[in-house]
Amino acid sequence: MSHDFSPPGPHSQALFERACEVMPGGVNSPARTFNAVGGSPVFMDRAEGAYIFDVDGNAYIDYVGSFGPMILGHADPTTVAAVQNQAAKGLSFGAPTGLETELAELIRDMIDSVESVRMVNSGTEATTTAVRLARGATGRNKIVKFAGNYHGHVDPLLVSAGSGALTLGIPGSPGVPEAVVADTLVATYNDLASVEAAFAEHGDDIAGIIVEPVAGNMNCVPPVDGFLEGLRGLCDRYGAALIFDEVMTGFRVHPAGAQAYFDVTPDITALGKIVGGGMPVGAVGGSKAIMESLAPAGSVYQAGTLAGHPLGMAAGIATLQQIRDHDVHAAIEPNITRLLAGLEQRAANAGVALTTQRVGAMFGLFFTAEDAVTRFEQVAACDTEAFARFFHTLLAEGVYLAPSAFEAGFMSRAHDNTIIDRTLAAAEPAFAAAARR
Ligand code: KE4
């Protein structure tokens, strides 16, 4: 597939200017803006397999994958057909369907800690519900989160957030009242002592800990040995709920999520992204005892007009069935390994300090001389200017990364040997650009 790359082309630029007239920043999510790398976002038209195509006809090898959902590759035929067939039967009913039960059963059967599920429409709704569940189930108010972790744009958790909030340098946000975050305790990711200190001071008032089991919103930072186990121990000791925000890691780092990968069991799991196969789906899961607290079974209120949406359920079922039945992660393993080794080699050849990290089918590229990146401050110290030069040259060569040094990269089943070869070829001029001051 050969193309003359000149992103963003005239149609993309025209669309961006038009979008800016009617939508803040011309985008519907700050993570899509190019503010952190310079230039204007590329407007996309369609995607297939490992490729995404912009409105000017340029093709890009895509490592964003809709920020995680597209692990099967774009426009997976089985998933698209499931959505098309369901759409022909009507879009939304406001009444229960068997599809919701089918997806809930799939999640229950794939994730051991989940006995019961509530469907929602986004990762933010999933984490919002998870926190309310923890507070409702314990009768306590305080929640521990981690600087650099992002759990969606819900007020109590939009404190020292990652992702767009980190990229835009606005940890926290105007519009979030002090009172709403008064019960949010911020600890340091991969620093168990900081969590122990929070519990020593507030232990009996802490409803739960919410954590990204792999920090995918400050690039890609795995938990250090003992960190997740330590959080589990503290929650057991103080009677708090351990919430794994697996919106990004669920079905991404392992067919049963980070909790299976690291063998640490949370009390509540928040899901999103892959669980909907690219459609707007989130989910909260946990033991029946905890989940039965939710209305109408229990008194913890939560609701949603389009929760369990038939098209989202159809896409989620088609996607999870393939993850369950075909070892998608085993297929990805050799390719992501070769990609990162090849990038490290080409960075070294260009004299660029690069550290790569990955868990399962998600990865991070850090422009730093650090051997390992385990802390938020190390991420913040990376060379974002070098990343921006790398990003734009790669884009011009037909490879699309998330436009931020604080976002992770996502592989799909469609990123085969040929795709890796093309990516590594594009990386050579990109690292040469990164090396230039
Ligand atoms: P959504 O509400 O965007 O579906 O999910 C929020 C969320 C919750 N938890 C984790 C661990 C997440 O990564 C996310 C969303 N991730 C970002 C990407 N870093 C979404 C991209 C965007 O905001 O456009």
Side-chain angles (χ1 to χ4, degrees):
M1 196 172 288
S2 64
H3 298 268
D4 295 328
F5 295 107
S6 56
H11 294 99
S12 186
Q13 193 55 35
L15 279 174
F16 181 55
E17 287 161 14
R18 191 173 139 204
C20 287
E21 292 301 311
V22 74
M23 294 182 291
V27 292
N28 281 302
S29 190
R32 302 174 197 163
T33 180
F34 274 27
N35 291 359
V37 292
S40 310
V42 181
F43 276 58
M44 300 301 179
D45 172 52
R46 67 183 182 89
E48 185 181 350
Y51 282 95
I52 193 163
F53 302 83
D54 74 15
V55 294
D56 292 285
N58 296 305
Y60 305 90
I61 295 171
D62 179 22
Y63 287 99
V64 179
S66 182
F67 285 101
M70 311 321 296
I71 194 167
L72 299 181
H74 284 292
D76 167 61
T78 305
T79 306
V80 170
V83 173
Q84 288 171 328
N85 295 338
Q86 186 59 40
K89 299 168 72 176
L91 298 183
S92 181
F93 311 133
T97 66
L99 291 165
E100 297 153 77
T101 307
E102 200 177 335
L103 184 56
E105 287 170 343
L106 262 171
I107 297 167
R108 178 201 61 194
D109 296 348
M110 292 174 77
I111 302 180
D112 289 346
S113 67
V114 173
E115 294 175 336
S116 177
V117 180
R118 170 59 52 91
M119 303 294 178
V120 292
N121 289 105
S122 69
T124 296
E125 281 189 80
T127 58
T128 302
T129 305
V131 166
R132 189 176 309 137
L133 254 180
R135 287 171 160 165
T138 61
R140 302 174 183 177
N141 291 334
K142 294 207 181 311
I143 288 285
V144 175
K145 79 166 293 267
F146 295 91
N149 274 200
Y150 175 69
H151 304 290
H153 64 91
V154 57
D155 278 2
L157 300 178
L158 206 54
V159 178
S160 302
S163 185
L166 200 59
T167 303
L168 297 177
I170 46 169
S173 166
V176 176
E178 281 300 315
V180 169
V181 298
D183 285 319
T184 307
L185 304 171
V186 181
T188 304
Y189 195 77
N190 276 334
D191 176 356
L192 196 54
S194 70
V195 193
E196 287 163 345
F199 273 86
E201 189 172 348
H202 303 282
D204 296 334
D205 298 329
I206 293 176
I209 299 173
I210 185 166
V211 65
E212 289 188 58
V214 175
N217 288 286
M218 48 194 232
N219 204 315
C220 179
V221 177
V224 298
D225 289 349
F227 179 62
L228 297 179
E229 294 83 351
L231 301 183
R232 178 69 272 169
L234 282 166
C235 286
D236 291 343
R237 199 159 110 216
Y238 286 89
L242 180 57
I243 302 168
F244 272 12
D245 176 351
E246 295 228 42
V247 167
M248 185 182 286
T249 56
F251 315 109
R252 165 64 56 184
V253 301
H254 181 285
Q259 54 197 273
Y261 188 98
F262 295 105
D263 193 21
V264 176
T265 301
D267 299 300
I268 302 170
T269 299
L271 297 167
K273 297 180 190 282
I274 292 175
V275 77
M279 295 291 281
V281 177
V284 190
S287 66
K288 278 201 84 153
I290 284 183
M291 296 302 290
E292 292 291 308
S293 311
L294 278 180
S299 54
V300 178
Y301 196 70
Q302 185 281 337
T305 303
L306 299 177
H309 191 281
L311 302 195
M313 298 300 101
I317 290 163
T319 298
L320 292 198
Q321 282 175 338
Q322 293 187 72
I323 291 172
R324 181 195 63 192
D325 299 342
H326 312 296
D327 205 340
V328 170
H329 294 79
I332 290 172
E333 190 68 21
N335 296 323
I336 193 169
T337 302
R338 194 160 76 81
L339 172 71
L340 297 184
L343 290 175
E344 286 175 1
Q345 184 57 56
R346 284 156 181 80
N349 295 346
V352 170
L354 179 84
T355 294
T356 70
Q357 300 188 155
R358 81 162 178 108
V359 183
M362 65 187 277
F363 65 90
L365 306 179
F366 299 85
F367 285 75
T368 178
E370 300 269 8
D371 290 336
V373 177
T374 60
R375 295 292 180 86
F376 173 46
E377 57 267 20
Q378 290 174 299
V379 176
C382 287
D383 186 343
T384 54
E385 292 303 313
F387 171 78
R389 295 192 297 275
F390 178 75
F391 170 86
H392 277 292
T393 306
L394 215 50
L395 190 68
E397 293 289 330
V399 178
Y400 187 65
L401 296 181
S404 164
F406 299 111
E407 295 288 356
F410 302 98
M411 286 283 283
S412 84
R413 175 175 62 178
H415 287 75
D416 60 17
N417 254 328
T418 304
I419 296 290
I420 302 307
D421 288 341
R422 288 181 180 159
T423 305
L424 294 178
E428 291 181 15
F431 281 121
R436 285 193 293 274
R437 284 281 161 220

